[in-house]
Amino acid sequence: MDRKLLVVFTVVAVAASGCATKKFTREAVAEESQVINQRIDGVEDQVEQNQTRLATHETRIEQTAGEAREASRTAQEALERAQEAGRLAEGKLLYEVVLTDQDVRFGFDRSELSPEAQSALDEFAEGLKSENANIYIEIQGHTDATGGDNYNEELGLDRAEAVRRYLNRTHGIPLHRMNVISYGEASPVADNGSREGRAQNRRVALVVLA
């Protein structure tokens, strides 16, 4: 073969190889770019989901904080009443347990404790065993806004009294270590305009003092 012709063939082959390499490189870069973009999209979606979860969590925290502030107010009032009555030596609030309607399940217009309510109170009494023997408990009865003021005050008191009797008869907590009071509908923690809100307002709070 003519040497010049061989050189031409060689140049053509090299050129063709170069074009193929460039094409392969472009395709590889394009494929890698697509993968990177997909990963970026996935990360952005994850960030948006996390932001949504965070916003939901913050909303729940705000709602819980609002309920805690209300609970703290009634607990503080219990402490002040106990101090005024001279019932406490140290005069401090230990903790507060709130039993909502979902836990207690009082029947409509009834004050008898359901099995669910008794179970919740059994758990509460079990936790008291590790506390100071000189504890003092104020049992607060709350209702929703259905019915008149006087009726709700009496109903709240009946339910609080039912709790005190159960703790005394079943767990031996002395009656003089417990006091009952009714807030009736006067201290809601939720909107009485909804069924769920009314259920939250039908509650019994046990404030443990020492």
Side-chain angles (χ1 to χ4, degrees):
M1 179 180 294
D2 190 295
R3 175 175 288 181
K4 293 181 179 180
L5 184 59
L6 180 59
V7 171
V8 170
F9 284 160
T10 303
V11 170
V12 171
V14 171
S17 175
C19 291
T21 302
K22 290 179 180 179
K23 182 180 179 181
F24 174 77
T25 302
R26 285 196 299 269
E27 291 177 351
V29 169
E31 184 177 349
E32 182 66 21
S33 178
Q34 183 178 3
V35 172
I36 292 174
N37 288 335
Q38 290 175 347
R39 289 177 180 172
I40 291 174
D41 292 340
V43 171
E44 290 178 346
D45 290 341
Q46 187 64 40
V47 170
E48 290 179 358
Q49 292 175 8
N50 290 338
Q51 289 176 338
T52 300
R53 293 193 189 101
L54 180 60
T56 302
H57 185 62
E58 289 176 346
T59 299
R60 290 175 180 172
I61 289 176
E62 290 176 358
Q63 293 174 345
T64 303
E67 295 176 2
R69 284 192 295 270
E70 176 63 25
S72 296
R73 182 182 67 79
T74 57
Q76 183 62 37
E77 290 173 355
L79 179 58
E80 292 172 357
R81 279 189 291 268
Q83 289 174 328
E84 291 173 359
R87 294 179 181 271
L88 303 177
E90 298 180 18
K92 66 178 181 179
L93 170 66
L94 295 182
Y95 58 89
E96 180 180 19
V97 174
V98 179
L99 304 178
T100 66
D101 187 62
Q102 293 179 344
D103 298 319
V104 177
R105 292 185 176 85
F106 285 111
F108 177 73
D109 195 28
R110 305 294 293 274
S111 60
E112 292 82 2
L113 296 175
S114 67
E116 293 85 358
Q118 294 177 7
S119 177
L121 291 172
D122 291 341
E123 184 177 349
F124 169 78
E126 185 67 24
L128 291 178
K129 292 181 179 180
S130 61
E131 302 295 341
N132 190 314
N134 294 323
I135 59 171
Y136 176 73
I137 306 169
E138 180 173 279
I139 305 169
Q140 303 171 347
H142 299 264
T143 71
D144 60 29
T146 305
D149 292 347
N150 293 336
Y151 170 81
N152 285 331
E153 186 172 350
E154 292 179 5
L155 180 59
L157 191 62
D158 288 343
R159 290 175 173 176
E161 185 60 46
V163 170
R164 181 168 73 161
R165 285 197 303 270
Y166 182 82
L167 291 175
N168 171 251
R169 295 173 182 176
T170 305
H171 296 282
I173 299 176
L175 290 175
H176 71 276
R177 290 289 177 184
M178 296 182 284
N179 185 50
V180 295
I181 187 172
S182 175
Y183 278 85
E185 63 183 77
S187 189
V189 293
D191 183 10
N192 276 300
S194 68
R195 181 177 181 180
E196 181 181 354
R198 289 192 295 273
Q200 293 181 43
N201 290 332
R202 294 191 298 266
R203 67 196 192 280
V204 172
L206 299 103
V207 182
V208 181
L209 308 165

